[in-house]
Amino acid sequence: MMHLTPTDTPAMTWERLLSRRRYPAQPQLHVVTDAPPVRGAFIADYDRVVFSSAFRRLQRKTQVMPQPENDFVHTRLTHSLETASVGRSLGRLGGRLLLEETEGLAQTLPHLDSDFGDIVAAACLAHDIGNPPFGHSGEDAISTYFRSAAAEPFVRVLDAAERADLQHFEGNAAGFRILTHTYAAHSSGSAGLGLTYATLGAFTKYPRPSVFDEAGGTHGTSEKKHGYFQTEATRFQEVAQELGLLAKPAGAAAGFYHRHPLAFLVEAADDICYRIIDFEDGLKLGLIPCETGLSLMRDLLGDAPGRRGSVEWRDWREELGYLRARLINRLVQQTARLFADRAAAFLHGRADEPLVQHLDCWEQLQHMNALTVEHLYQSRPVLEIEAAGFEVMAGLLDAFLHATFDPHGSAQSRKLQQLLPAQFRAIGPQEGLSAYEQIILLTDYLGGLTDQNAASLFRTIRGVSLPKAF
């Protein structure tokens, strides 16, 4: 049984970390009772993500294999749904272990396990909502463009932090913006999806800006990337203060914090899903030899060579699904245990490593990932679409940036400016925006396109193809 005494009171507390208040700050409406509500605040968060247009567009965004013709290959949408399913299990199992092993916790937070599961599921569902077209190569394409000579006229007027946001473009930061931002052209509100602070905190795997003092960091996993743009710096500070996140040595004024502990479960759910399910896609596409993959998965599960169960498999794909389900279940059980063991360290800001790295099968998972990288991530179709993505994103950025900052110049610039939806232009209620804010609006637009939309728009403005008539 875990005991909490006055001398080891956590720097972060579950009572604050599970805030049901919605962004932006509203009066606390939820009262803890003996029975959980039928549809609680965190379940509502999940629903709000599901019904958002940004989430719906993930069905046409690449997970690994671009624009798949086979319906069993994962898109960002199916990956997000599966990650949310795994995340819910991780949260509920980890929360149940804490309730059973932490004295007094069940009296103060009787529904901790269900709250954990609902928060982590909602954050997992949204974890890729800010990813631009063409997968992670889309992020690289945007970053590379803003570091190029072609972008110099547009970035030279920005300060260091603003340039870093663009030159190290991050889908996680774009996601936080989607969840918390409302366009002035749409409404006078500023709530985004109006999620709870708890879900926003769990979503933010990288609670730091793009520029920070290296001396103030700890070089943990939460510092690998940044979690918000300068446009959302004040918003994230509000989230951190509401949740009582612990500031890192660089200081709260620098916007540099330890993670919400549930963000480690969001990260773990994503790690488990992409490692196992991307590998499964590689097998089903014939890029990884089926017997090699099945053998590795049996080995991960500790199945003895030649082990026979009660079922005789006549289709290796069906056995693959069975092995995948068993393996994910095993990893979920172990990861929930690891989280419960490290929960106190997370609350004190004393741990900052991915949970999956402590799994007893970590080396085998790394071998599986190496096979996926070699045979799937570096396959010709993936490399071709990633290379095309660089051309598409750079071409669109260059064209629309020139149109944005020279709207009364060439006839082409005027036409391109008119192609932008009103919410992405500095007109009407959005007039007076800085150059940086105008560029962020443009990345909002291009980052929100699906792979097919981006490619089609690029071909159209280059005159390679014409759009169909109404």
Side-chain angles (χ1 to χ4, degrees):
M1 181 75 66
M2 187 185 303
H3 299 272
L4 298 179
T5 67
T7 59
D8 56 12
T9 300
M12 293 184 275
T13 65
W14 292 121
E15 287 83 0
R16 291 187 66 180
L17 290 167
L18 302 185
S19 172
R20 288 172 167 78
R21 296 179 71 192
R22 295 199 173 278
Y23 176 85
Q26 298 174 4
Q28 178 67 284
L29 300 178
H30 179 82
V31 178
V32 176
T33 62
D34 291 336
V38 174
R39 181 175 179 268
F42 307 133
I43 294 175
D45 284 347
Y46 186 97
D47 296 346
R48 290 182 183 209
V49 175
V50 165
F51 283 95
S52 68
S53 58
F55 180 73
R56 186 168 62 249
R57 288 193 294 270
L58 294 179
Q59 68 182 315
R60 301 302 296 272
K61 289 194 176 186
T62 297
Q63 168 62 14
V64 178
M65 185 56 62
Q67 302 177 2
E69 296 180 1
N70 300 298
D71 59 7
F72 57 76
V73 174
H74 292 78
T75 65
R76 286 283 169 189
L77 184 78
T78 48
H79 167 71
S80 297
L81 289 167
E82 289 169 344
T83 301
S85 179
V86 170
R88 180 181 291 108
S89 296
L90 283 172
R92 293 199 174 195
L93 289 169
R96 174 52 53 182
L97 289 170
L98 286 182
L99 284 174
E100 293 172 350
E101 298 171 5
T102 308
E103 186 175 356
L105 192 58
Q107 282 70 49
T108 57
L109 295 169
H111 312 302
L112 182 86
D113 50 352
S114 60
D115 286 346
F116 274 18
D118 294 339
I119 293 168
V120 176
C124 284
L125 194 69
H127 84 281
D128 274 347
I129 205 167
N131 276 30
F134 309 110
H136 290 299
S137 68
E139 294 172 300
D140 294 338
I142 295 172
S143 301
T144 299
Y145 173 78
F146 281 111
R147 292 195 293 266
S148 71
E152 175 58 26
F154 308 111
V155 301
R156 67 163 64 116
V157 299
L158 309 182
D159 64 32
E162 293 168 344
R163 285 196 302 273
D165 282 352
L166 300 170
Q167 293 176 345
H168 303 279
F169 188 83
E170 180 52 52
N172 287 282
F176 186 82
R177 178 170 168 82
I178 288 170
L179 299 182
T180 60
H181 180 71
T182 299
Y183 295 104
H186 283 166
S187 146
S188 61
S190 60
L193 298 189
L195 304 184
T196 62
Y197 286 91
T199 295
L200 290 173
F203 169 85
T204 309
K205 294 189 293 185
Y206 308 104
R208 46 150 285 206
S210 56
V211 170
F212 69 98
D213 180 4
E214 291 281 356
T218 58
H219 306 289
T221 186
S222 65
E223 298 172 18
K224 291 192 304 180
K225 303 176 183 180
H226 60 279
Y228 58 89
F229 297 133
Q230 288 302 302
T231 45
E232 283 67 57
T234 300
R235 296 173 189 168
F236 181 73
Q237 287 282 14
E238 182 179 333
V239 172
Q241 290 166 13
E242 167 68 20
L243 298 173
L245 298 186
L246 179 63
K248 285 198 172 181
F256 199 57
Y257 290 86
H258 288 276
R259 273 182 179 175
H260 189 301
L262 295 184
F264 288 95
L265 290 180
V266 174
E267 177 182 60
D270 186 27
D271 285 344
I272 289 170
C273 284
Y274 87 75
R275 287 176 184 276
I276 303 301
I277 297 174
D278 288 0
F279 185 72
E280 180 184 22
D281 280 352
L283 287 168
K284 288 185 174 180
L285 288 166
L287 298 173
I288 301 172
C290 66
E291 192 48 50
T292 298
L294 293 174
S295 177
L296 178 55
M297 294 180 80
R298 295 187 199 110
D299 186 46
L300 272 164
L301 287 164
D303 291 351
R307 173 183 181 267
R308 297 183 64 86
S310 59
V311 175
E312 179 182 351
W313 300 105
R314 299 189 178 95
D315 186 330
W316 67 267
R317 295 171 187 81
E318 291 301 307
E319 182 183 6
L320 173 62
Y322 169 72
L323 293 173
R324 178 249 299 146
R326 287 179 57 204
L327 183 54
I328 289 177
N329 178 63
R330 175 186 170 183
L331 297 180
V332 165
Q333 297 288 337
Q334 287 190 16
T335 304
R337 179 71 265 172
L338 289 168
F339 173 80
D341 291 343
R342 288 163 173 75
F346 291 147
L347 290 170
H348 283 89
R350 292 199 298 256
D352 195 3
E353 294 179 324
L355 288 167
V356 296
Q357 290 186 6
H358 298 280
L359 293 168
D360 59 15
C361 59
W362 171 242
E363 292 301 324
Q364 293 161 297
L365 286 174
Q366 286 290 78
H367 176 54
M368 176 182 285
N369 191 59
L371 289 174
T372 304
V373 170
E374 178 183 357
H375 296 287
L376 182 61
Y377 299 165
Q378 296 179 358
S379 65
R380 186 175 184 85
V382 172
L383 294 176
E384 285 176 344
I385 199 68
E386 288 181 347
F390 270 81
E391 291 297 317
V392 169
M393 296 308 292
L396 291 174
L397 281 166
D398 199 61
F400 282 102
L401 280 167
H402 279 92
T404 296
F405 291 100
D406 186 25
H408 306 296
S410 68
Q412 182 187 26
S413 289
R414 292 196 296 273
K415 296 296 182 184
L416 287 173
Q417 181 72 1
Q418 291 170 346
L419 281 176
L420 285 173
Q423 68 267 31
F424 303 113
R425 286 184 273 164
I427 59 173
Q430 298 184 153
E431 288 181 2
L433 297 180
S434 68
Y436 167 71
E437 290 169 323
Q438 292 183 63
I439 295 173
I440 287 292
L441 280 181
L442 183 55
T443 63
D444 287 348
Y445 171 59
L446 297 179
L449 296 174
T450 66
D451 297 9
Q452 290 86 350
N453 289 157
S456 176
L457 180 60
F458 178 71
R459 289 193 298 267
T460 298
I461 68 172
R462 287 293 178 93
V464 175
S465 64
L466 295 176
K468 295 179 180 179
F470 290 106

